Amino acid sequence: MAGFSLENKTAIITGGASGIGEAISKKFATQGANVHILEFNEESGANIVAAITKEGGKATFYQCDVSNHKQVAGIIDTIAKENSIDILVNNAGIAHVGNLEGTEESDLDRIYNVNVKGVYNCMHAAISKMKEKGGVILNMASIASSVGISDRFAYSMSKGAVLTMTLSVAKDYVTEGIRCNCISPARVHTPFVDGFIKKNYPGREAEMFENLSKTQPIGRMGKPEEIANLALYLCSDEASFITGSDFPIDGGFIKLNG
């Protein structure tokens, strides 16, 4: 299989049935991976597995709340009984809009439980399995982990934690043959973005979509497939010398703004 083959690799992808996660699931499957999708929404999970298998790929869906430590551990144990775990992509996450004063304790807890504890739960469950022969962990951070974004207090907190967890795991397990990196996207056009605009700016959807697109110096939002392409490279053997790194994919947002 040409370029960045994942043939005979077992990949676990959280939040792998919509947006960026869906694109990663499909991309990995086309490159030969046996894809295991952990997804909260049962309908979405079933649909993406059907789409992948229709194209000849291999995929399995597990309904999962990544914030539930026991549930995550049980699912990953089940996967490991049949397959060595080669790749873990921690993509599942939720957003919150609000500054410090606009963030209730319940908001903070909700974001933390999914975006931080969820990543911890999956890595904690998978790392001992990966130590047997090495593997790759890829975490989905955000440009909000390294630059100030207005009205994203809780979200920025969570993605900053994802970045530093990535560095810690990369350092602690580099001698075990485990690589750990993260991707930091800017705004990517997903169903979440469309839903956010429709909810908050009814009747002004086209205008707001254009405004949000222009916040990227490149003049548009990213595409989920573009993030998936980077994820594929970082999880492939071609990236075997890369660990402990954060990869902004942001249309120039960090370096060209300001």
Side-chain angles (χ1 to χ4, degrees):
M1 189 170 290
F4 311 134
S5 172
L6 300 182
E7 193 73 26
N8 300 318
K9 303 276 190 183
T10 295
I12 298 173
I13 303 170
T14 72
S18 64
I20 293 171
E22 177 182 352
I24 293 174
S25 295
K26 289 179 175 178
K27 178 64 68 172
F28 281 23
T30 62
Q31 294 304 106
N34 180 11
V35 176
H36 295 262
I37 297 167
L38 276 58
E39 171 66 44
F40 187 76
N41 186 295
E42 290 190 54
E43 183 179 0
S44 297
N47 287 342
I48 186 63
V49 166
I52 288 172
T53 55
K54 183 179 180 180
E55 295 298 321
K58 294 174 287 186
T60 308
F61 160 64
Y62 307 81
Q63 198 282 327
C64 182
D65 174 1
V66 294
S67 71
N68 186 319
H69 185 84
K70 185 176 180 179
Q71 186 181 50
V72 168
I75 291 171
I76 290 181
D77 280 345
T78 296
I79 296 170
K81 287 177 182 177
E82 300 292 332
N83 313 269
S84 61
I85 297 175
D86 302 296
I87 298 166
L88 169 64
V89 179
N90 284 305
N91 170 74
I94 56 176
H96 177 263
V97 178
N99 62 15
L100 173 61
E101 294 172 292
T103 303
E104 300 295 332
E105 182 181 10
S106 58
D107 298 324
L108 192 71
D109 288 344
R110 183 174 62 89
I111 293 292
Y112 175 86
N113 284 335
V114 176
N115 293 6
V116 180
K117 187 183 175 187
V119 173
Y120 157 78
N121 286 341
C122 294
M123 292 197 296
H124 188 268
I127 200 78
S128 61
K129 279 78 174 171
M130 286 186 162
K131 286 169 69 175
E132 297 172 8
K133 69 168 193 174
V136 183
I137 298 172
L138 181 64
N139 297 324
M140 197 62 62
S142 166
I143 57 167
S145 65
S146 55
V147 298
I149 306 292
S150 299
D151 291 325
R152 295 296 187 276
F153 174 77
Y155 182 75
S156 297
M157 171 277 298
S158 70
K159 292 303 184 178
V162 171
L163 171 59
T164 52
M165 283 192 291
T166 297
L167 301 178
S168 180
V169 169
K171 180 72 172 178
D172 287 340
Y173 294 95
V174 64
T175 58
E176 305 279 358
I178 297 171
R179 299 190 294 110
C180 187
N181 296 295
C182 61
I183 292 176
S184 287
R187 187 169 281 111
V188 177
H189 185 201
T190 65
F192 172 82
V193 171
D194 292 334
F196 173 81
I197 293 174
K198 184 176 182 179
K199 177 182 176 181
N200 292 278
Y201 304 97
R204 299 174 56 203
E205 288 87 351
E207 173 193 352
M208 292 311 301
F209 184 87
E210 183 177 358
N211 289 344
L212 291 174
S213 297
K214 288 179 179 177
T215 62
Q216 271 62 232
I218 206 168
R220 65 172 176 85
M221 297 187 201
K223 301 174 184 177
E225 294 76 17
E226 292 171 317
I227 314 303
N229 287 335
L230 178 57
L232 172 64
Y233 168 65
L234 291 173
C235 291
S236 72
D237 291 341
E238 283 85 348
S240 59
F241 198 56
I242 300 174
T243 192
S245 294
D246 173 39
F247 289 83
I249 178 166
D250 64 357
F253 187 91
I254 292 177
K255 295 295 186 180
L256 303 182
N257 266 333

